Amino acid sequence: MTGRLPTTKDFPTHLSLTITPPPVQDQPVNVLILLHGLGDTNAPFTKLGTRLALPETCCISLQAPAALPFELGGFHWGDDIVFDPSTAEMEFDTGFKKAASVIERDVIINGLIKNCGYQPRDILMFGFGQGGMAAVAVAASLLQELGGVVTIGGPAPSSLVPRSEKSKTPVMVLGGSSKTVITRSAIEMLKKHFQTLESHQWNKTGDDMPMSKEEMLPIMRFFATRLRSRKGVPQGSVEIG
């Protein structure tokens, strides 16, 4: 038995989210939760969910629960707002207890599992930057195995304490070849929390979102191995840009 297509009524009213059904009127077998980066909204990832067009997969683009201060616009996943005194930029790693609780309790457990009938293995997360860190925090704390996590430029939060037993949720982490937060030490830290970790380094500066089919290819391969299907292994492709 598989879950049904979620609606906004399945989630608390304090959450801001959009739901994109599977393409070509497929029945949803999987749910992909999309988590935007620091200072953004869920709107760009709503478009991403449509562009991905993953077979038999519903996409939920969730907006971070806390607004940025000083009328900066956008939202963040952290427990606090901290500015780096040397650069005046906002810190990414400011704790994820509140956001992780919202994603785990309100979206995954109550919304998707209890209300819509999905199993944990049917649920995947895709996060960028601070959104990727939130996804890692949720997957590492859950006892159940999720379908998988893709995190772009999102390492494990420093506040995350390894459990006695590593999470069985497979994780793919991606970053650039220079000026990246996905360093060797960051990868080793992720390995302390997850049994299965796959890393990919793009030949570019920084940890920006993929901008071409070639850059998306490792992510799509990961999805192809983790998405369930009534029709067989999904072979979806995507054009970005």
Side-chain angles (χ1 to χ4, degrees):
M1 181 178 178
T2 57
R4 62 168 173 80
L5 181 66
T7 72
T8 54
K9 293 181 180 180
D10 292 312
F11 306 97
T13 55
H14 67 82
L15 295 181
S16 180
L17 54 84
T18 55
I19 300 169
T20 303
V24 295
Q25 296 183 331
D26 282 344
Q27 289 299 311
V29 180
N30 314 280
V31 178
L32 177 62
I33 302 171
L34 303 168
L35 307 175
H36 63 78
L38 173 63
D40 208 344
T41 70
N42 67 328
F45 272 23
T46 298
K47 296 178 181 178
L48 174 63
T50 301
R51 289 180 178 179
L52 285 172
L54 296 170
E56 301 171 89
T57 303
C58 161
C59 292
I60 296 178
S61 180
L62 180 66
Q63 190 159 281
L68 292 178
F70 314 127
E71 298 183 351
L72 291 173
F75 295 80
H76 71 98
W77 301 98
D79 290 335
D80 201 356
I81 289 287
V82 177
F83 288 90
D84 185 332
S86 62
T87 64
E89 294 183 351
M90 283 182 287
E91 294 279 2
F92 275 56
D93 191 358
T94 58
F96 294 86
K97 186 176 181 180
K98 296 176 184 176
S101 176
V102 168
I103 298 168
E104 179 178 337
R105 180 191 64 241
D106 295 340
V107 179
I108 295 178
I109 295 176
N110 291 333
L112 295 176
I113 296 176
K114 291 184 179 179
N115 292 345
C116 299
Y118 287 95
Q119 298 299 314
R121 176 61 181 78
D122 305 329
I123 302 166
L124 299 89
M125 290 185 287
F126 177 107
F128 172 60
Q130 198 183 46
M133 297 179 78
V136 167
V138 171
S141 64
L142 278 171
L143 298 177
Q144 306 98 320
E145 176 187 352
L146 299 178
V149 169
V150 174
T151 172
I152 298 174
S158 59
S159 58
L160 196 59
V161 179
R163 297 189 348 228
S164 57
E165 183 178 349
K166 294 182 182 181
S167 171
K168 294 181 181 179
T169 298
V171 173
M172 166 172 265
V173 59
L174 304 98
S177 54
S178 62
K179 295 185 179 179
T180 176
V181 298
I182 308 303
T183 59
R184 184 174 301 177
S185 61
I187 292 173
E188 291 303 314
M189 183 60 67
L190 282 166
K191 289 180 178 178
K192 293 181 179 180
H193 298 282
F194 298 95
Q195 293 183 12
T196 304
L197 179 73
E198 182 179 350
S199 61
H200 182 83
Q201 184 183 80
W202 290 305
N203 185 25
K204 66 178 183 180
T205 301
D207 299 323
D208 294 335
M209 284 284 291
M211 298 300 294
S212 67
K213 183 176 180 179
E214 181 181 359
E215 290 183 354
M216 277 297 299
L217 188 57
I219 298 173
M220 299 305 290
R221 285 175 175 166
F222 179 82
F223 284 150
T225 64
R226 297 305 299 172
L227 292 176
R228 289 178 163 173
S229 176
R230 293 191 186 97
K231 303 175 182 179
V233 177
Q235 297 293 334
S237 61
V238 65
E239 294 285 350
I240 299 294

